Amino acid sequence: MIAGGPIGEIVFALGAGDRVVGADTSCTFPEAFEKLPRVGYQRKLSAEGVLSLRPSLLLAGHESGPPEALAQIEGAGVVVARFAEALSVAAAVASVREVGAAVGRAAEATALARGMEREITSAREEIARSSSRARALFLYARGPGTVLAGGAGTAAAAMIDLAGAVNAAADIEGFRPITAESVIAARPEVIVIPERGLQSLGGAPGLFALPGIAATSAAASRRVVSLDDQLLLGFGPRLATALRALAEGIRAASPVAR
Amino acid sequence: MIVARGVWARASGRWILRDVSCAVAPGEVLGVLGPNAAGKSTLFSLLTSELTPDSGDVTLNGTPLRAHSPRALARARGVVRQRSDVAFDLRVLDVVLLGRFCHAGRGDTRADVDAARRALADVDLSDLAERSYTHLSGGEQRRAQIARALAQVDADSADPASPPHRYLLLDEPLANLDMCHQLDILSLLRRKAREGLGVVVVLHELGLAARACDRLLVLHEGRAAREGPPADVLTPRLLQDVFRLRARVRRDASEGLSIDLLW
Amino acid sequence: MTPALTSRRFSASLAGFALALSTAAVIALTTGALRVPAGDVLAALGSALRPTVPVAVDPASAHVVLFVRAPRLAMAIITGCILGASGAGLQGVFRNPLADPGLLGISSGASLGAALHIVAGGHALGGVGLPLAAFAGGLGAAALAGAFSAGAGARATGALVLAGVGVNAAAGAGVGMLAHVATDTQLRDLSFWLLGSLGGATWPRLAVAAPVAVTSTLALLRFGRPLNALALGEADAGHLGLEVRTTRALLLAVAALGVSATVAVTGPLGFVGLVVPHTARMLFGADARRVLPAAALLGALLLVLADIAARTVAAPAEIPTGIVTAAVGAPFFLVLLRAQRRPA
């Protein structure tokens, strides 16, 4: 049983996907999750719903909850393995090892972790050679009325930093709603936005029409990088891929053609 | 006795009552008359302690009204206000039984139900006891409220805690009633007074008041214009001065006072 | 309408509802996402009563019955009772069939307390931190509404309605403000809380909420006759010998206390406090001595059934109980309004 998208990704990467009996709605990658029973959103798990699938182990990402439900699940004899949020390369690699230990695939986890480290190192070397140090603004959007900026301490900030860019919203903490004026004040040269968020705004035209955004140099040059939500923010096994794609996107500075 | 001594009352800066005194003793009916805005309802509110006088005082059985607890007051007097609407769909009998709320049985005992049934019979509503109050006509609702007040001061079921002297206060109880029931209610009030209740009734109908009341108090522009037996109060002169009516007043040995209006 | 229901028939109807509630309780204990045979449910309940005797029930099933379903059932019953009874009480005090516990600002105050707790980090005091914050918010809002309407004398009831509107608006603004500054995950937590759910019912929380809610419900049941007197209006009730102000203040305090205690655990559960007393009145007439116990029983029945639906309709996920009560309650209420406007 899995609650938390990145954890699910690791489980499948370790080849333990066939032992998963159910997952929460945040598990979207790989596609094998489509066929599994869903127990609702990870922050609002139903204890009995989880238990009805008869799991022996619940892998709970840092957002899983509510605590009462987790306690009830644990009380029913299910092992609940909790994982902290990974916001760095080291933590991402450690998560892989921890999940591996929890599901009894330590050897596979070690191999996967080594591979990740290798790839990430080479990705970062490439990035270091060609870094643009562009000012990138991360936006989390659920429709034009709900646009949050990714400030310091977020996965978004960490990714922008690793990709060799500068977080334009570094002076705010966490994900916060952002006003038109503060968008302009942040002087972003490029917008980074998860794919689902971009869709909720009606694609790049909708994004660049938002108040404030419209007046930035990012909008003038129509620079936006859009990646799959979990790839971009998950700090999972595909971290190196994500870094390359993000850095490439920022560097390419080309209008997105989707 | 209910006694008001030199009461003054003010509303939004204007004096509504100026130095009015009156009293009602057990066994008598006091009628309060006066043209519109004479202060009748304000005096009524002072007697029922809905208002407190700015000056002067009101006593019941020798004690100031505010010194009585609500329950003790309720046992000593029943009040029928001009308007009473019932928010929920109670049965007529249940409304009348609420008159027994202040008594030991709280409305639950056989004696309470008997008192309520007697009161309903008094106002000619026995047939409608099980009906819903909100579906009654305006006149029937008025009579139900009178029954409720009667049940409250019912003599036969009074518990030992009730005071010996009890009163009934009614503000324009005849409004909305047909002539037949107007006469019924007035004769009922007279009968209750003979049985020992003190009755204060605010009225508009001069002729009916003259016949039904032992004494009359006529208010005019916030003052007591005259007080006394109907024959002394309702003179052509007073009718002219206070009510601006030209009238001939006849005294008849058998029927009492009758007033003929001159057009 | 059947206002003239004899006491025997009323007692029989109440017994009928109690029976329906017991049946619903059995269904609540035996159904759910996890299939637990009725025999195992019984065995699990038996093992709770005699912990020393070992039973051969799958531990997960036993745990679900004893620590998931049972506390939810208990919470549904006490919450339904207090919401139904306080709805009936408040409608009586305000002489308005549209009054409900939300009118005093209890729900919105509790929401503000919950929002503050969630946005402030939300882990203080472990599992009872959030309910305590919500409880304080609900009670605080009701007290504020009471304080603002105090001194209005004879017009206190009208003033209280207006003060409640004001407190509701202020608390709503506060929740909106907090939602605006909340992070994405806090916002989700908050919006789930605002939907109302019995999913948060645990024995420790029940141990805090139940004594308050049950005591309040029992206290409310004693207000039948004063509420009947108040049906005649405050002036007439006073002439009947009722201490109007004391009675009103007492009833409001008791209702605020009981509702705050349960809202704190469940979040706002819409329409129960409004629709249930209405239904009780339609079934048993307007006599508050009947409406109060009937509303308590019906409220419990409605919530138990609603929670069964909430737990099973989308299994293994679940929908917030508040959505079910509002989804059932709102159309029912509209139909009721229509029926009332038709002349009798």
Side-chain angles (χ1 to χ4, degrees):
Chain A
M1 173 65 59
I2 296 164
I7 310 281
E9 198 177 327
I10 296 172
V11 170
F12 273 83
L14 293 176
D18 55 328
R19 287 163 53 196
V20 178
V21 293
D24 86 294
T25 52
S26 73
C27 291
T28 52
F29 184 90
E31 271 179 21
F33 276 114
E34 299 298 328
K35 296 190 192 75
L36 286 168
R38 297 292 186 166
V39 291
Y41 179 61
Q42 57 174 336
R43 293 193 70 75
K44 202 61 193 173
L45 294 175
S46 148
E48 186 172 347
V50 170
L51 291 172
S52 73
L53 299 172
R54 298 279 182 187
S56 55
L57 170 67
L58 170 64
L59 301 171
H62 71 280
E63 289 202 59
S64 302
E68 297 76 43
L70 294 185
Q72 285 171 333
I73 292 164
E74 216 160 20
V78 176
V79 178
V80 176
R82 294 176 173 81
F83 299 95
E85 181 176 21
L87 287 181
S88 66
V89 173
V93 173
S95 289
V96 169
R97 291 182 198 274
E98 285 165 23
V99 172
V103 299
R105 299 267 169 138
E108 291 86 342
T110 307
L112 179 61
R114 292 227 175 93
M116 273 176 73
E117 278 171 329
R118 218 170 27 245
E119 279 196 57
I120 291 167
T121 309
S122 77
R124 293 186 69 182
E125 281 165 4
E126 289 168 30
I127 289 165
R129 279 196 296 276
S130 58
S131 167
S132 57
R133 304 300 295 168
R135 290 181 67 80
L137 177 66
F138 178 90
L139 293 180
Y140 174 94
R142 286 289 175 266
T146 311
V147 180
L148 309 160
T154 62
M159 285 300 285
I160 286 172
D161 187 46
L162 287 173
V166 176
N167 185 7
D171 51 351
I172 62 173
E173 194 75 31
F175 285 105
R176 298 284 153 177
I178 189 163
T179 62
E181 283 189 29
S182 43
V183 166
I184 296 169
R187 292 181 288 111
E189 296 162 297
V190 55
I191 305 292
V192 179
I193 184 166
E195 277 172 1
R196 273 196 290 172
L198 188 61
Q199 279 163 21
S200 78
L201 296 173
L207 169 67
F208 291 124
L210 285 178
I213 305 282
T216 60
S217 68
S221 55
R222 303 195 74 71
R223 292 174 69 183
V224 56
V225 181
S226 184
L227 294 172
D228 172 73
D229 298 45
Q230 189 169 315
L231 178 66
L232 183 56
L233 299 176
F235 274 83
R238 294 176 291 160
L239 182 55
T241 318
L243 283 177
R244 283 206 177 90
L246 180 58
E248 171 62 27
I250 291 173
R251 194 169 50 235
S254 60
V256 170
R258 64 166 62 242
Chain B
M1 293 255 279
I2 295 181
V3 181
R5 248 184 307 257
V7 292
W8 293 67
R10 190 168 38 185
S12 22
R14 209 163 60 91
W15 287 105
I16 308 291
L17 280 183
R18 287 181 270 200
D19 194 21
V20 173
S21 297
C22 68
V24 63
E28 68 171 355
V29 180
L30 170 70
V32 179
L33 300 176
N36 291 336
K40 301 186 298 293
S41 289
T42 303
L43 178 62
F44 188 82
S45 300
L46 292 179
L47 296 179
T48 59
S49 43
E50 280 171 45
L51 292 179
T52 44
D54 291 288
S55 160
D57 69 339
V58 183
T59 58
L60 183 142
N61 293 340
T63 316
L65 285 185
R66 63 181 171 283
H68 294 267
S69 74
R71 195 165 171 204
L73 272 181
R75 286 171 157 172
R77 62 163 201 217
V79 177
V80 178
R81 302 166 75 241
Q82 254 188 60
R83 276 223 186 104
S84 282
D85 57 325
V86 176
F88 297 103
D89 208 11
L90 293 173
R91 284 186 309 166
V92 174
L93 181 62
D94 288 330
V95 170
V96 176
L97 272 172
L98 282 173
R100 307 298 300 170
F101 180 73
C102 55
H103 295 280
R106 294 254 152 196
D108 273 345
T109 61
R110 191 73 242 165
D112 290 328
V113 176
D114 289 346
R117 296 258 180 217
R118 271 197 300 277
L120 278 169
D122 278 338
V123 299
D124 194 22
L125 276 184
S126 295
D127 294 344
L128 303 183
E130 309 294 327
R131 289 278 196 86
S132 120
Y133 178 89
T134 46
H135 294 165
L136 298 186
S137 74
E140 288 165 342
Q141 291 190 349
R142 179 60 50 93
R143 279 149 58 203
Q145 290 292 345
I146 294 170
R148 194 256 307 147
L150 283 174
Q152 193 172 336
V153 293
D154 182 78
D156 296 341
S157 60
D159 55 59
S162 299
H165 301 309
R166 292 187 300 278
Y167 306 87
L168 204 55
L169 287 73
L170 310 95
D171 193 0
E172 299 193 20
L174 306 186
N176 293 332
L177 296 191
D178 54 44
M179 277 305 279
C180 161
H181 282 113
Q182 289 191 352
L183 295 176
D184 282 354
I185 293 298
L186 284 179
S187 78
L188 172 70
L189 295 182
R190 285 215 60 77
R191 198 177 86 229
K192 290 294 165 187
R194 274 203 308 280
E195 291 170 13
L197 282 183
V199 179
V200 180
V201 54
V202 176
L203 288 173
H204 265 303
E205 300 77 357
L206 299 177
L208 293 177
R211 292 187 190 202
C213 301
D214 298 301
R215 286 184 307 113
L216 294 178
L217 167 67
V218 174
L219 292 176
H220 183 41
E221 293 174 352
R223 293 183 187 277
R226 197 171 301 173
E227 201 242 321
D232 297 349
V233 171
L234 293 178
T235 59
R237 177 72 192 276
L238 178 127
L239 293 174
Q240 173 74 55
D241 290 352
V242 173
F243 295 95
R244 299 208 223 152
L245 291 172
R246 294 207 301 127
R248 186 163 48 220
V249 180
R250 285 184 295 137
R251 216 172 301 197
D252 188 300
S254 62
E255 294 169 28
L257 213 60
S258 65
I259 299 169
D260 299 329
L261 297 182
L262 305 174
W263 296 78
Chain C
M1 302 216 181
T2 55
L5 200 68
T6 63
S7 340
R8 189 173 304 164
R9 272 186 57 199
F10 174 69
S11 308
S13 310
L14 269 200
F17 278 114
L19 194 68
L21 178 59
S22 319
T23 314
V26 170
I27 297 174
L29 285 175
T30 49
T31 53
L34 185 71
R35 194 182 302 272
V36 183
D40 287 7
V41 172
L42 266 182
L45 292 175
S47 75
L49 298 176
R50 292 179 306 163
T52 48
V53 182
V55 276
V57 182
D58 158 42
S61 302
H63 188 84
V64 162
V65 171
L66 295 178
F67 293 96
V68 180
R69 290 182 191 168
R72 281 185 85 139
L73 172 64
M75 195 69 213
I77 292 174
I78 65 158
T79 306
C81 280
I82 186 67
L83 287 180
S86 62
L90 294 173
Q91 289 177 9
V93 166
F94 289 109
R95 305 181 77 230
N96 186 337
L98 297 184
D100 83 337
L103 197 68
L104 290 174
I106 298 171
S107 304
S108 50
S111 302
L112 182 59
L116 268 171
H117 189 266
I118 290 170
V119 173
H123 298 297
L125 298 174
V128 289
L130 177 61
L132 278 183
F135 179 67
L139 216 51
L144 203 63
F148 268 109
S149 63
R155 285 180 208 49
T157 307
L160 188 59
V161 174
L162 293 178
V165 170
V167 169
N168 268 325
V175 171
M177 186 67 211
L178 287 167
H180 186 69
V181 302
T183 66
D184 190 46
T185 49
Q186 289 169 345
L187 194 61
R188 287 214 180 203
D189 286 350
L190 178 57
S191 52
F192 274 120
W193 193 87
L194 290 176
L195 289 175
S197 167
L198 288 164
T202 58
W203 289 122
R205 287 178 172 184
L206 262 163
V208 180
V212 181
V214 171
T215 312
S216 302
T217 304
L218 293 177
L220 281 171
L221 294 183
R222 303 180 61 86
F223 278 91
R225 211 185 312 267
L227 284 175
N228 280 345
L230 276 173
L232 267 60
E234 295 184 7
D236 276 326
H239 294 319
L240 292 173
L242 181 72
E243 305 254 14
V244 175
R245 279 187 207 189
T246 318
T247 306
R248 182 175 52 208
L250 214 60
L251 189 145
L252 295 178
V254 167
L257 204 64
V259 173
S260 299
T262 56
V263 165
V265 175
T266 64
L269 292 170
F271 282 97
V272 180
L274 179 65
V275 169
V276 162
H278 252 294
T279 315
R281 229 176 278 119
M282 289 183 77
L283 292 172
F284 301 118
D287 188 334
R289 286 171 298 174
R290 290 173 175 183
V291 173
L292 284 166
L297 263 184
L298 279 175
L301 181 62
L302 173 66
L303 262 194
V304 170
L305 292 177
D307 195 48
I308 292 173
R311 288 188 295 123
T312 53
V313 169
E318 72 176 57
I319 41 180
T321 323
I323 292 182
V324 181
T325 59
V328 176
F332 181 77
F333 180 68
L334 291 174
V335 169
L336 213 77
L337 269 185
R338 243 184 98 88
Q340 286 223 324
R341 234 178 313 153
R342 214 170 291 142

